[in-house]
Amino acid sequence: MNKSIFSRLLITNLTIFIGLIVILTGILTLLYSTQVYELEKQRLREITQKTESLYLDSAKGKIEALKLQDYMDAMAYVSKSKLYILNIHQNNIQNLRDLDFANSDLDHYLYEDLMTILEGNEVFRKSTYTATFDSQMIFYGRPILKDGQIEGVVVIFTPISTVVKNIRVMLMVIASLSVFFITIVSGVLYVSAKKMTKPIEDISNSALAIANGERQEDITKTNYQELNALIDSFNYMKSELNRIDEDKKDFIGMISHEIKTPLTVVSGYLEAIHDGLLDQDELGESLEIIYRETKRLTLLTKEIVTKTRNKDMEFYLNPSFFKLKPILEEMIMLAKVNIEKQVTFSLSCDDNTTLYADEKQLRQILSNLISNAIKYSGDLVHIMLSCFVEEDQLCIRIEDNGFGIKKDELEKVFQKYYRIKNTVTQKEGSGLGLSIVKKLVDLHHGTIDITSTYKKGTVVTVKLPPLRQEVKR
């Protein structure tokens, strides 16, 4: 079963930390035990040195033997130990306190220790089982020296339980501190591992959300350089996907509007022909328009296929010189195919007005603006088209007598998917028309301005740059 990075990080770090704590606990316990035994050795040395001094004073007659015995009894009682002074006479070990040990009663190791002491050395055993006392004892012995000669031996047996108790107490303290630090560090490691793996979880969740078509905010950076590199790459990928998605939506929105216009024209003229509303002269002209719009649809379809195959969703301009008035007249004629409303036009434009722009995209701009003027008007629609030069810019103005737009909605009309909600009759639409117009005007380095009076009408003014000004290709 695969483990998560979070669990691997947490378990690995905890294992390493607990291992270090165990090793450190062992080292501290060993050092403390050594120190405790060293202190115990020093204590026993001081007791035996004092006993040796009193013994020598007693041998010289400076103190009574009873005082020596009282001291030994007191020390044995206070330290819960067994204290002996042994002298050597005719190879027999005799206890000066009338405690007679026959050779056969002594533990084997004691003979070896006595021999070592009789050689002038001190002996210290940390823990030895003594059959004489039937328990684990700490043993210390040293020679009694008088004028450089060994007069006897001072030995002391003390229970190991007191020392072990002290070591156990310290071990419990160390263990408690270890558990405390393990708990604290476990929490820190948990938070650290969570903090380290959270960006990975965020990237995973964001990737799934993006795959489901949801919008996601940029992932916040961390304090880890490698994770930040991953986050930067993911955020860049996400922004590029969002851009591609936006380009695709814009492209589809524009194409749908471009297709809608010729389809509306073809459908309108075919319906007029079917209903017998056109005379013979108008019939020929209508068939010519239907042919031209059908050809335009064919070219548009090829363009869609080409752009889709090349994954190129950008808008590009193909500028050229052309006269504006014929374009406006054609747009008027195509708009009149609307048989649901009575539409009239007035046109004011000089015959020689020429501009340098993308004719196809300009048609799209005019088509959308005129379509909106008709859509957001009553049954009797009058649209005034005009073109003029103002401040070295060519202005195209579309003015209608429609429902108008409230002031608080004017600044929103160029937003994608925004639809005016205060019209007299709710109209169908995608809310992309004016955003597409704005983008196409921007590509020409032009501007678009809308003024409106609610329930009276709207004026749209498109300003394009002078002739031959560079436009985006």
Side-chain angles (χ1 to χ4, degrees):
M1 182 178 179
N2 294 330
K3 293 183 179 179
S4 65
I5 295 178
F6 169 75
S7 62
R8 285 181 179 273
L9 281 174
L10 186 60
I11 292 173
T12 301
N13 290 334
L14 274 179
T15 302
I16 293 173
F17 179 73
I18 292 174
L20 290 175
I21 287 293
V22 170
I23 293 173
L24 185 60
T25 300
I27 294 174
L28 289 176
T29 303
L30 180 61
L31 292 175
Y32 181 75
S33 300
T34 302
Q35 182 65 22
V36 169
Y37 278 112
E38 189 63 32
L39 292 174
E40 183 67 9
K41 179 181 178 180
Q42 182 63 30
R43 186 182 72 88
L44 296 179
R45 180 184 290 117
E46 291 174 356
I47 293 174
T48 55
Q49 286 176 342
K50 179 65 176 177
T51 303
E52 178 187 358
S53 176
L54 291 174
Y55 169 76
L56 293 174
D57 288 343
S58 175
K60 294 176 180 179
K62 293 182 178 181
I63 63 171
E64 298 178 357
L66 183 60
K67 184 176 181 179
L68 173 61
Q69 184 175 343
D70 290 341
Y71 171 77
M72 293 176 65
D73 288 340
M75 290 304 300
Y77 177 79
V78 170
S79 62
K80 299 180 180 180
S81 304
K82 303 291 185 180
L83 181 60
Y84 301 100
I85 296 177
L86 307 174
N87 67 353
I88 299 173
H89 181 67
Q90 296 178 353
N91 295 325
N92 290 324
I93 301 176
Q94 296 179 354
N95 190 323
L96 296 184
R97 296 177 59 213
D98 298 327
L99 293 177
D100 185 19
F101 285 87
N103 288 348
S104 60
D105 294 332
L106 295 176
D107 293 319
H108 175 72
Y109 79 88
L110 188 55
Y111 284 105
E112 296 178 357
D113 291 342
L114 290 176
M115 291 300 294
T116 302
I117 295 171
L118 290 174
E119 292 174 357
N121 302 311
E122 67 175 10
V123 174
F124 178 75
R125 286 181 177 272
K126 293 181 179 180
S127 176
T128 302
Y129 176 77
T130 304
T132 304
F133 302 108
D134 191 24
S135 64
Q136 292 284 338
M137 305 290 284
I138 295 175
F139 172 79
Y140 179 83
R142 60 177 288 113
I144 298 175
L145 298 175
K146 181 179 180 182
D147 299 330
Q149 299 295 321
I150 297 176
E151 289 286 320
V153 177
V154 181
V155 294
I156 186 169
F157 298 88
T158 187
I160 197 174
S161 57
T162 303
V163 175
V164 171
K165 183 179 179 181
N166 290 336
I167 294 175
R168 285 177 178 171
V169 169
M170 179 54 65
L171 186 60
M172 288 298 297
V173 171
I174 295 175
S176 299
L177 289 175
S178 298
V179 171
F180 173 76
F181 282 114
I182 287 174
T183 303
I184 296 298
V185 172
S186 296
V188 173
L189 290 176
Y190 179 88
V191 173
S192 177
K194 201 70 177 176
K195 185 177 180 181
M196 186 178 295
T197 56
K198 186 179 183 303
I200 300 177
E201 294 178 1
D202 291 342
I203 289 174
S204 177
N205 294 334
S206 294
L208 291 175
I210 291 172
N212 292 328
E214 300 177 15
R215 287 279 184 173
Q216 294 293 304
E217 297 294 330
D218 283 350
I219 297 177
T220 305
K221 289 187 178 182
T222 67
N223 296 324
Y224 305 101
Q225 183 177 358
E226 294 81 1
L227 284 177
N228 286 341
L230 177 62
I231 290 172
D232 287 339
S233 298
F234 181 82
N235 287 339
Y236 175 74
M237 179 199 71
K238 181 180 64 64
S239 64
E240 285 298 297
L241 288 175
N242 289 339
R243 183 188 62 79
I244 292 172
D245 186 58
E246 285 297 320
D247 290 344
K248 181 177 69 174
K249 289 180 178 179
D250 290 346
F251 177 75
I252 293 174
M254 181 176 179
I255 292 300
S256 65
H257 275 76
E258 283 199 62
I259 291 177
K260 183 179 179 180
T261 300
L263 283 178
T264 301
V265 173
V266 171
S267 175
Y269 276 104
L270 287 177
E271 187 174 349
I273 293 173
H274 179 269
D275 294 339
L277 300 177
L278 304 177
D279 56 29
Q280 192 64 31
D281 293 335
E282 292 175 330
L283 181 60
E285 184 179 353
S286 300
L287 291 175
E288 177 64 26
I289 293 174
I290 291 173
Y291 171 76
R292 187 169 61 246
E293 294 301 312
T294 303
K295 187 177 180 180
R296 179 183 169 192
L297 277 174
T298 302
L299 293 175
L300 188 57
T301 303
K302 289 181 180 180
E303 181 182 353
I304 294 172
V305 172
T306 301
K307 282 184 171 289
T308 304
R309 185 186 297 121
N310 296 335
K311 298 180 180 180
D312 181 10
M313 302 300 173
E314 286 287 342
F315 295 124
Y316 300 99
L317 299 183
N318 183 23
S320 61
F321 290 101
F322 58 91
K323 292 186 181 297
L324 178 59
K325 188 173 182 178
I327 302 296
L328 295 176
E329 291 175 339
E330 182 179 342
M331 299 307 299
I332 291 173
M333 182 178 63
L334 294 177
K336 287 182 177 180
V337 76
N338 190 312
I339 58 175
E340 296 180 356
K341 297 182 180 182
Q342 185 176 346
V343 184
T344 59
F345 287 88
S346 62
L347 175 60
S348 174
C349 183
D350 190 90
D351 293 341
N352 296 321
T353 300
T354 304
L355 72 158
Y356 182 71
D358 187 315
E359 182 178 344
K360 174 174 169 291
Q361 303 299 0
L362 181 63
R363 289 175 179 272
Q364 180 68 19
I365 293 171
L366 295 173
S367 176
N368 280 339
L369 294 177
I370 293 173
S371 175
N372 280 346
I374 297 174
K375 182 189 300 183
Y376 295 101
S377 296
D379 293 333
L380 299 177
V381 186
H382 181 69
I383 299 174
M384 293 177 285
L385 297 179
S386 59
C387 62
F388 53 91
V389 176
E390 182 178 272
E391 297 179 353
D392 294 330
Q393 288 187 309
L394 178 62
C395 301
I396 304 173
R397 178 167 293 169
I398 299 97
E399 184 175 355
D400 64 62
N401 62 341
F403 304 135
I405 307 169
K406 286 184 177 180
K407 186 176 180 180
D408 59 344
E409 290 196 291
L410 275 176
E411 59 185 21
K412 303 176 184 178
V413 294
F414 293 117
Q415 296 177 5
K416 288 181 181 179
Y417 310 111
Y418 182 79
R419 297 179 61 203
I420 298 172
K421 301 178 178 61
N422 62 6
T423 54
V424 176
T425 305
Q426 189 66 34
K427 303 296 181 180
E428 295 182 359
S430 62
L432 287 172
L434 285 179
S435 66
I436 293 174
V437 168
K438 180 71 165 58
K439 184 165 187 174
L440 294 177
V441 171
D442 289 342
L443 287 176
H444 284 86
H445 300 295
T447 60
I448 180 171
D449 177 67
I450 298 180
T451 59
S452 184
T453 302
Y454 187 53
K455 294 185 178 180
K456 290 188 177 181
T458 302
V459 178
V460 180
T461 303
V462 176
K463 296 181 179 181
L464 299 177
L467 293 180
R468 297 184 179 276
Q469 177 165 325
E470 180 183 358
V471 295
K472 183 177 179 180
R473 290 180 177 270

